[in-house]
Structure formats: structure tokens, C-alpha cells
Amino acid sequence: MADRRTAIMEGAARVIARRGVRGLRVEELAAEAGVSTALIYYHFKDRAGILRATLEFINDRAGRYTTERDPADPVLDALGELEQTLLLEFQDDPAVRENSTAWGELRASAVFDPDLREDLADATRVWIQEVSELLGQVHPMAPAAGLSGAAERLTALVEGLSSRWLSGSLPLAHARELMVSSIAAELDRLARAAA
């Protein structure tokens, strides 16, 4: 049963990335996932349930590809961990492209969907908190408000740069360069605030 649910979530992410939230049709999702529409409704009750579950799925998948490390890789210091976590959002990998595109589509649709807006806001708060904690590992004496503000700016920048990269208006290497320089600027600001 878990495999079918995963197949549905993978299919939903693909369909949303391709057609947007408004283009998500349960029949197309069923065909994409290789299941019946009845099974989709069994697992998710309605379209809103599908969207909520897909948002959770893409957040979990992003968490895996930005934090899981090969045990053979060298151990990163706090700065390396922060940079790698944010830079792994910019990979020329089909799953990352799909995930980032689906996230952008869900974010855009949240403007018109109050239920989705609340779920997206919760997911964004968690992401900001995670980045804030990573920043705090680099600058443990920085004030909490400074860490939170820096995390909010960096995560918003990831979303904006990702949108430009995915649309072809910004080369991947340049998006990564801009991210690295922004991380350095935020860390410099935190260092000054902690002094």
C-alpha cells in the first residue's frame, strides 16, 4: 500500500511540475501513477488532500536530497553544511528540477487557495527554522532574530533563483554563485550583529 501511495505522490509531483496545480486532473494522475482514480480518492479523499500530501511529499524529498550525505564523503564544518544544504537546491537532476518546479507551482496556487496557503506557510516556517539553526551553528552568538531574518532572506532567495534557473533566464552556475555570495553576506551581517 505504501508503494502505491508513493507512486501517487511521485505522479502528482510530475503532473504539477508539468501542468501546474490548476492542470492537475485526478484521471491524469491515476494514469501517471498507474493506479485507479478510486485508489487516489481512497488515500486522499479529495483534490485538497492530494495537494496537501504532495506538498508534504516534495518537502520530504527536498529534505532528503539536501541533507543526506554519503558516509564516504568528508565531514563538513558548519559553514560547509549550510552552503551544501542551500546549494543542493540547484542541481541539474530531474528529481530536483521536478521538485523545485512543483514547489513553485504550489506556491503560486496558494495565492488563491487559503487551505494550501496555510500548509505552504507551515512548510516555509519549518524550512526557515532549519536554515536558521544551520546559521546558528556557524555563528552561535548571533541573536535569534538575526538568524531568523537571515534564514528568511536566504530561503526566499533560493525560491527566486530557482524560478529563474528553471525558466532558463539564469544559468545554473550563476544561480549557485549568487547563492554563495548571499550566504557570505548574511554571515557577515550576523558576525557584525554578534560583535
Side-chain angles (χ1 to χ4, degrees):
M1 248 344 187
D3 290 341
R4 286 185 181 166
R5 184 177 171 89
T6 300
I8 295 167
M9 291 294 83
E10 289 171 346
R14 281 191 302 273
V15 171
I16 290 171
R18 260 194 331 262
R19 301 204 183 277
V21 171
R22 289 184 178 183
L24 177 67
R25 302 288 178 260
V26 176
E27 296 78 17
E28 183 180 359
L29 173 55
E32 184 78 29
V35 300
S36 69
T37 57
L39 186 63
I40 292 172
Y41 285 117
Y42 170 78
H43 280 291
F44 305 104
K45 306 295 181 231
D46 56 19
R47 192 169 188 280
I50 295 167
L51 294 176
R52 274 192 299 281
T54 304
L55 178 62
E56 184 178 328
F57 173 79
I58 65 172
N59 277 330
D60 291 346
R61 188 162 63 173
R64 284 190 303 277
Y65 67 69
T66 59
T67 60
E68 289 181 356
R69 308 286 187 257
D70 185 330
D73 288 346
V75 176
L76 297 173
D77 63 4
L79 175 58
E81 189 72 32
L82 171 66
E83 286 181 340
Q84 188 161 342
T85 297
L86 292 171
L87 290 173
L88 286 174
E89 292 285 352
F90 303 98
Q91 299 180 59
D92 197 12
D93 174 90
V96 175
R97 283 179 167 275
E98 178 182 281
N99 227 50
S100 295
T101 303
W103 172 266
E105 291 293 333
L106 287 161
R107 185 168 34 91
S109 291
V111 171
F112 305 103
D113 184 338
D115 294 332
L116 186 55
R117 188 179 315 144
E118 187 176 315
D119 293 335
L120 188 77
D122 290 342
T124 301
R125 276 191 288 277
V126 169
W127 187 24
I128 290 168
Q129 181 59 40
E130 290 169 354
V131 173
S132 179
E133 289 170 7
L134 289 169
L135 288 162
Q137 290 173 16
V138 178
H139 283 298
M141 300 307 291
L147 293 170
S148 180
E152 194 160 358
R153 286 186 293 276
L154 288 172
T155 55
L157 183 62
V158 167
E159 289 179 336
L161 291 175
S162 180
S163 176
R164 289 184 181 187
W165 161 58
L166 291 166
S167 69
S169 63
L170 183 68
L172 178 60
H174 191 54
R176 293 174 66 89
E177 289 167 8
L178 291 171
M179 197 71 234
V180 169
S181 65
S182 296
I183 292 168
E186 290 297 342
L187 290 173
D188 184 53
R189 181 188 307 217
L190 289 171
R192 287 193 315 268

